[in-house]
Amino acid sequence: FGHLHALQAHGLGQCGLGQVDLVVDVDQGHVRVISLNTSDIPYILDEKGQKKYDVKLTLGVREDQVQELIEILQRSSGKQVILLSHANPINRKGGNALKYNGRSLHELLVAFNQKEKGRMHSSKDVPAEFRLSNDFDFTKVKDARIIAYFCGHRHVEDQYRINGIQYVLFNCSALMGPSHQLTTKYNKN
């Protein structure tokens, strides 16, 4: 985490560190870049000592990280906002692409662009550790908009716009080499 502390020391960003969650924002002029952790999965052991959630297979964002994002967005007047994360929160059909709270995250971003006020909540079937209960008020944010959300994870090159949010997915598996099983025809050369 040394590079994160360096960002803070130089006034380039604010980072919030929890057990698993991580939100970093960096400003450059009228642009704010926010990085989210879509592998915000709690480390919980069951009665047999096995992990309840496999962080490689389970993607999600939790309440504390969402709260950090809300607070950053509420201070984003005059900013064009770009979000970065490992995985996309929703798919091109608008469905939840994370196991937990991807659609809710997208709806929060739309609420920001529309300068709305409200409360986030989860359905009853969501495990307690992933429930959301966050208030937000973007009515006082002026001249700000989320212009793009960059991510990967799906091993495809894709882009789509949903509710005014432009999602861009990168296939970074090419960095693993032309013979790697996740390298596609698109990025083999």
Side-chain angles (χ1 to χ4, degrees):
F1 293 118
H3 65 287
L4 298 176
H5 295 293
L7 285 173
Q8 281 184 314
H10 290 92
L12 296 175
Q14 172 178 325
C15 62
L17 300 175
Q19 288 181 339
V20 181
D21 63 313
L22 175 63
V23 177
V24 178
D25 73 296
V26 179
D27 288 348
Q28 182 64 43
H30 293 290
V31 176
R32 172 166 283 164
V33 178
I34 302 171
S35 174
L36 299 174
N37 179 5
T38 51
S39 296
D40 186 8
I41 308 303
Y43 184 80
I44 299 173
L45 299 179
D46 64 17
E47 59 280 347
K48 296 179 184 175
Q50 301 294 314
K51 287 191 283 186
K52 183 175 179 180
Y53 301 104
D54 184 337
V55 74
K56 291 182 181 180
L57 301 176
T58 308
L59 297 169
V61 292
R62 293 187 291 159
E63 188 174 61
D64 288 348
Q65 184 176 194
V66 169
Q67 186 60 42
E68 284 188 74
L69 175 61
I70 289 168
E71 291 168 8
I72 292 167
L73 290 174
Q74 287 174 331
R75 299 187 313 266
S76 294
S77 285
K79 300 291 182 182
Q80 299 295 301
V81 179
I82 299 170
L83 286 116
L84 309 172
S85 72
H86 174 75
N88 51 315
I90 61 171
N91 60 34
R92 71 169 30 258
K93 294 181 180 180
N96 197 356
L98 303 180
K99 175 101 173 147
Y100 300 106
N101 299 322
R103 182 72 197 180
S104 297
L105 175 59
H106 169 76
E107 290 172 4
L108 178 69
L109 303 180
V110 172
F112 174 79
N113 279 353
Q114 295 177 353
K115 309 302 180 256
E116 295 177 350
K117 177 179 182 177
R119 181 175 189 85
M120 299 181 73
H121 54 85
S122 301
S123 59
K124 294 179 182 176
D125 60 338
V126 173
E129 51 268 23
F130 292 100
R131 290 200 186 121
L132 299 176
S133 180
N134 303 81
D135 292 317
F136 60 88
D137 184 354
F138 302 127
T139 59
K140 296 176 183 164
V141 178
K142 304 295 182 209
D143 191 31
R145 183 160 193 78
I146 294 169
I147 58 173
Y149 193 115
F150 295 104
C151 51
H153 181 69
R154 307 293 169 192
H155 302 281
V156 297
E157 298 286 334
D158 199 6
Q159 67 172 327
Y160 46 89
R161 180 183 298 267
I162 299 179
N163 304 115
I165 308 291
Q166 183 69 40
Y167 289 93
V168 181
L169 284 70
F170 294 103
N171 184 358
C172 298
S173 64
L175 300 175
M176 297 175 184
S179 301
H180 193 275
Q181 66 183 4
L182 295 176
T183 301
T184 63
K185 292 178 185 175
Y186 180 84
N187 62 9
K188 206 167 204 81
N189 296 324

